[in-house]
Amino acid sequence: MDLNDGKTVSYALVPHKGFNLINGIHDPDDVDQIYNLEIRDSDVFAVTYPKSGTIWMQQILLLLEAKGDVTAISKHNTKSNADCIPWIELSGCREAFIAAPSPRWRVTHLQHHFMPAALSQRKGKVIYVARNPKDVLVSYFHFHKVANMLETPKDFDDFFEKFMRGDVFACSWFEHIKTWYSNKDDMNMLFITYEEMVQDLHSAVRKMSLFLGKELTEEQLANVVKHSTFHNMRKIPQANYEQVPGYLLNHHQGKFMRKGTIGDWKNHFTVAQNERFDEVFHREMQDFPLSFIWDIRDIE
Ligand code: A3P
């Protein structure tokens, strides 16, 4: 693939232990060693299936650490928020994690079975952010057009099929949430949804700050919320990946911070696709007591 800034890269999905990694971005041997990482009580992992609000968590965590002071995070942030709170699974990030001073805050899209075993001995903390999978699918479809490391879908129908088969980076949404959710009681885990965050960001941020043991004043908390709204994050280059190089994200194809709402799937799914999705969702999730908000009008 020859990209506009002159770099030539070749990416492909690499199936690895029931999961799809991306060649050139992840190293399977490195990913395997994540399981054995020593975990400190102060370590925090924000876990998401792609397109569920990872960038949002990076912004909120940075702001919580900075007690709402947005100038403090932009001062340290010469690149993007992802440089401050990176994915543990990216090549080279594991070594950096081992050497990093506390607190070590990371994000991950990995399946539960790759993650440090120590998390299941209640070491460190995990925040799992789940998003309704119809909106995940739509957001992921658009992201495939922006992300040069992912194959551009032929059209929405083609991507719909790929997502349903789990033939994408991170594989099946259903497997991801089910395995993490099934193991939640072994871990110090806060389970939260994207929709809860859209509905009442203040309560969601307060919940996170309590969970992380961060003592913020009401004013500081209000500042965290203020600088992590969709509207404000879009104005902060570090918070919306504008500085990510063109060989990774083709910024001409669209913004990473796209719509930030609930229910955009209604503008994409056909009636037949929706019926099929509902049927699969019901079958896959029947033993899980999880319900999602599918339409922004349900919370307005
Ligand atoms: P859309 O494509 O539906 O707009 P991730 O970081 O996991 O890739 O998730 C990206 C999705 O989260 C995008 O969804 C993005 O717009 C949305 N998002 C990021 N920050 C947000 C915010 N502050 N409020 C609402 N949605 C946000």
Side-chain angles (χ1 to χ4, degrees):
M1 185 182 347
D2 193 8
L3 299 157
N4 52 4
D5 57 3
K7 293 207 183 196
T8 300
V9 280
S10 163
Y11 299 109
L13 291 182
V14 184
H16 182 63
K17 299 189 175 166
F19 194 74
N20 286 333
L21 297 169
I22 305 172
N23 180 38
I25 300 277
H26 308 112
D27 172 352
D29 292 337
D30 219 31
V31 166
D32 283 347
Q33 292 184 50
I34 289 174
Y35 185 80
N36 295 315
L37 282 173
E38 282 184 22
I39 293 299
R40 304 173 193 156
D41 287 332
S42 56
D43 292 339
V44 176
F45 291 92
V47 181
T48 52
Y49 185 87
K51 313 319 294 173
S52 304
T54 325
I55 193 170
W56 202 358
M57 285 307 298
Q58 287 166 330
Q59 178 75 353
I60 292 172
L61 292 177
L62 282 169
L63 283 165
L64 282 174
E65 183 63 10
K67 296 200 184 293
D69 182 357
V70 76
T71 56
I73 70 168
S74 35
K75 190 172 68 198
H76 296 301
N77 219 346
T78 48
K79 292 186 178 166
S80 73
N81 284 3
D83 297 309
C84 300
I85 306 193
W87 284 263
I88 189 76
E89 61 268 31
L90 296 185
S91 292
C93 283
R94 189 183 53 83
E95 286 96 328
F97 177 80
I98 293 168
S102 301
R104 301 182 300 184
W105 292 8
R106 296 293 181 272
V107 290
T108 187
H109 294 317
L110 286 178
Q111 271 277 18
H112 173 263
H113 62 270
F114 290 108
M115 290 300 282
L119 290 177
S120 298
Q121 291 143 22
R122 306 188 78 80
K123 291 213 122 218
K125 290 184 174 167
V126 172
I127 301 180
Y128 190 98
V129 185
R131 184 179 189 186
N132 94 53
K134 294 182 186 177
D135 283 332
V136 167
L137 190 158
V138 167
S139 179
Y140 215 0
F141 166 66
H142 289 287
F143 183 60
H144 274 67
K145 295 188 269 177
V146 174
N148 286 320
M149 72 293 258
L150 300 172
E151 191 185 357
T152 304
K154 237 177 27 224
D155 51 32
F156 183 75
D157 295 350
D158 172 52
F159 186 76
F160 183 91
E161 297 305 326
K162 283 202 162 112
F163 185 91
M164 298 308 273
R165 288 196 303 271
D167 190 10
V168 287
F169 164 56
C171 287
S172 154
W173 178 90
F174 299 99
E175 282 313 303
H176 199 277
I177 192 164
K178 286 195 293 186
T179 46
W180 276 102
Y181 192 83
S182 309
N183 286 283
K184 75 175 176 20
D185 294 338
D186 301 336
M187 291 178 264
N188 289 319
M189 184 198 275
L190 174 68
F191 185 92
I192 196 158
T193 65
Y194 175 97
E195 291 76 22
E196 256 178 276
M197 291 164 69
V198 170
Q199 182 173 22
D200 184 353
L201 186 55
H202 198 278
S203 298
V205 167
R206 184 192 296 282
K207 216 187 254 185
M208 289 181 210
S209 103
L210 285 174
F211 175 69
L212 297 174
K214 294 272 155 205
E215 287 181 12
L216 273 69
T217 64
E218 278 307 313
E219 192 187 348
Q220 289 168 338
L221 209 61
N223 278 328
V224 175
V225 174
K226 177 175 168 197
H227 299 297
S228 51
T229 61
F230 183 79
H231 182 70
N232 284 339
M233 277 176 67
R234 267 192 137 198
K235 293 191 285 198
I236 309 172
Q238 302 96 312
N240 65 53
Y241 296 171
E242 267 172 44
Q243 292 129 318
V244 173
Y247 70 90
L248 290 172
L249 296 183
N250 184 344
H251 300 285
H252 303 297
Q253 284 293 329
K255 275 188 174 286
F256 190 94
M257 301 280 292
R258 200 182 55 90
K259 286 201 170 170
T261 190
I262 306 168
D264 194 31
W265 61 272
K266 294 193 166 177
N267 301 316
H268 293 74
F269 282 34
T270 62
V271 172
Q273 282 169 337
N274 190 35
E275 282 172 6
R276 199 166 126 223
F277 199 104
D278 284 345
E279 189 215 314
V280 173
F281 183 90
H282 180 72
R283 192 174 63 236
E284 292 277 353
M285 303 302 289
Q286 59 188 338
D287 296 329
F288 289 79
L290 293 170
S291 56
F292 287 91
I293 295 168
W294 303 97
D295 191 330
I296 189 82
R297 284 171 302 191
D298 294 341
I299 59 173
E300 280 173 347

